[in-house]
Every structure is written in structure tokens, then in C-alpha cells.
Amino acid sequence: MAATSFETLLYDVDDGVATVTLNRPEKLNAFNTQMMADMIAVFDATDADDAVRCVIVTGAGRAFCAGADLSAGATTFDYDKRGGEDRAARTVDGLQRDGGGLLTLRIFESLKPVISACNGAAVGVGVTMQLAMDIRLASTAARYGFVFARRGLNPEAASSWFLPHLVGVQTALEWCYTGRIFPAQEAHDRGLVRSLHEPDDLLPAARALAREIADNTSPISIALTRQLIWRMAGAAHPMEAHRADSRGIQARGRSGDAREGVTSFLEKRPPRFPDTVSKDLPDIWPHWTPPTFG
């Protein structure tokens, strides 16, 4: 898929690693309805493409994403006044679904691992969208802010579920109560990001991590692992995980991937996994029913 397929993103796939770049640098990559639609579409594309083994998300210019596009002024978040076909399509029983949440829920369902390479300011939805990504790397120039209370809003993008899972309730509440902007070092110290890098080293570090995944692992094993870890984050009992991973072990144990994984290890060579996500992903979730909005 060519980069020109998206109005607000650049998209590139190089040897199994897809790089998605938020591309409104003149607006500090501010999030709007088109960017929401483009990002959902790009994750549809990466899931459908067996050549994509890992996804990196970063920003063009000096920001990752400076939050919602505020060009509409005081009515930016007043859905009733702004209206529009897109917003009507997101309305269920009179309640309009939050666009940031539509995006994070789509990332939550990704079949490919997602790495955030936060290159600069990440405020509002610019940081909450990253919470649904799997591993977050940051530039030393990055800055974060859960600024909703300072704008008269509440946290969005399902961040009230994601954020405490990542950093704990106390830190989540402090950041959201104060709405202050905080540096990358604090984000690292409190567990929001995995590692800090000098600006020129950020994307190389993200690509090295993506290569480690793409070159050594089974795509189906990664897809199942992602589902297991994320879905079980809210499970009521470890039996739910036991049911699902037992089905996975049974299905994968007789697969070509498992035979290749053992054989390549014994022969001391890199694996060449034959199975593909599009054709061979087993359903280990007979009792899983995704919640509906309404």
C-alpha cells in the first residue's frame, strides 16, 4: 500500500516492518477525524498483509501528536453543534462514540505487535493512543500530558482502562488529576515507556526491536501471544487463560511452525516458519464475545 493512500499518514513496509508516520507536521500531527479513519484503515492493512511482521508508529517533525486538532475553537468537542456524516455514523442510541476510543480498540485487536517510537510532544489523544500499543520507546525530547481536566474533559480513548494497567492507579490518577506536561524521563521512571533514546537513535532502536521479533518468531505465535496478554489483562480468573492457552498449545503443537521451531533450534539455524496469520491462525476463543457499545 502506497503512502499516498492516506491523507494524514505515511506508510512504508521494509523487510517485514511497517512504519506508520503521523504526517501533519505543520499542525504538530494534531488528531482529527481523517487521522482517526486513516489509522484504523492502516491497522486493517497491516493485519491483512502477511508480509508485515511488526508495526512501528511515530510522528513527522518535532511532535508525535499534540492532541486533538483545536481549529474548530470552543466547539471542538461539542458533537451536537459540529454534527457531520462521520459523527452521525458513530452514534449509537443517541450516544456518540469517542474517536480516540475507536482507534485504541482497533489497535487492541491488532494481530501484529505495535511499537510506539514517540519522537516529541504527545498530549491528550497523542499519548492515550500509545497506551494500546505494545512497547513504547521515547526520545529524550518527548513530552507527555493527560491534559483532559485542564480542557474541561475526562480521559478518553479507553485510557481509564489502559493507563492503570501500565503505571498503576496512583500514577494514573496523579497525571490525570493535574493534567501537567511531564518529561520523557518521568514517563520512563514510572513505567509508561520501555526505554529512552537520543532523538537520532529512536527509530533505529525501534527498528532493531522490530527486527528481533520479525527475524526470530512465528507470526501466528505472536498474534496469539498478543491476544492472550491483552485479553487476559481483564480476566476474572487464571482459568480463563488456561482454557485459551491450552487450546493454543494443542493447535500449535501439531503445526508446521512448531516442527520448524524445534528443528531449526536443533540444527542451529534461523527458523523459516511456514504458517501465515491470514490462513492458519487458530481460534482459541470459543467463549470470547467482544463487548458491544450500547
Side-chain angles (χ1 to χ4, degrees):
M1 185 175 294
T4 53
S5 297
F6 302 103
E7 290 184 32
T8 65
L9 309 175
L10 300 178
Y11 181 70
D12 176 71
V13 179
D14 181 16
D15 195 20
V17 177
T19 301
V20 178
T21 305
L22 312 185
N23 190 41
R24 301 183 74 211
E26 73 288 354
K27 299 286 187 180
L28 298 180
N29 301 321
F31 187 82
N32 60 11
T33 299
Q34 186 61 52
M35 182 177 284
M36 178 202 74
D38 285 349
M39 292 194 73
I40 291 172
V42 86
F43 282 101
D44 290 343
T46 56
D47 272 1
D49 187 353
D50 285 327
V52 173
R53 299 292 316 283
C54 193
V55 182
I56 297 171
V57 182
T58 192
R62 59 191 179 92
F64 179 86
C65 172
D69 188 330
L70 302 179
S71 58
T75 63
T76 294
F77 301 105
D78 190 337
Y79 295 151
D80 293 334
K81 285 189 176 180
R82 296 193 64 187
E85 292 181 5
D86 172 75
R87 289 174 174 78
R90 288 155 46 188
T91 301
V92 180
D93 297 331
L95 179 60
Q96 185 169 152
R97 298 184 64 178
D98 161 50
L102 290 170
L103 172 58
T104 56
L105 289 171
R106 179 62 189 87
I107 299 172
F108 179 84
E109 296 293 342
S110 174
L111 296 174
K112 312 296 171 70
V114 186
I115 298 170
S116 166
C118 186
N119 55 299
V123 176
V125 70
V127 60
T128 57
M129 75 167 71
Q130 295 182 62
L131 304 181
M133 301 177 192
D134 301 312
I135 305 171
R136 286 160 297 281
L137 281 61
S139 162
T140 53
R143 297 292 183 271
Y144 298 88
F146 295 88
V147 299
F148 307 103
R150 296 192 178 203
R151 305 291 181 268
L153 302 169
N154 55 271
E156 42 65 87
S159 57
S160 57
W161 187 90
F162 286 105
L163 185 59
H165 276 85
L166 296 172
V167 301
V169 171
Q170 178 172 258
T171 293
L173 286 173
E174 178 196 338
W175 283 346
C176 292
Y177 282 166
T178 65
R180 63 183 173 83
I181 304 298
F182 56 92
Q185 185 64 57
E186 182 175 339
H188 179 261
D189 291 345
R190 299 211 188 180
L192 181 63
V193 301
R194 171 256 204 185
S195 54
L196 300 181
H197 306 269
E198 292 301 316
D200 290 344
D201 297 332
L202 176 63
L203 274 178
R207 289 174 181 138
L209 178 58
R211 286 258 57 85
E212 181 75 12
I213 297 168
D215 292 345
N216 297 291
T217 63
S218 155
I220 293 181
S221 296
I222 293 299
L224 291 177
T225 299
R226 193 177 197 279
Q227 289 178 345
L228 285 163
I229 296 295
W230 275 116
R231 292 184 182 186
M232 290 302 100
H237 192 281
M239 180 58 76
E240 295 184 42
H242 180 54
R243 292 182 188 126
D245 59 42
S246 293
R247 289 184 175 89
I249 290 295
Q250 181 169 324
R252 297 305 291 148
R254 57 179 177 245
S255 70
D257 275 2
R259 291 191 292 272
E260 171 62 11
V262 173
T263 301
S264 63
F265 173 75
L266 295 175
E267 294 179 352
K268 296 181 173 55
R269 60 170 175 79
R272 297 183 292 273
F273 293 110
D275 297 341
T276 60
V277 171
S278 64
K279 296 178 181 178
D280 304 302
L281 182 67
D283 181 8
I284 65 172
W285 307 98
H287 305 297
W288 174 265
T289 303
T292 58
F293 187 91

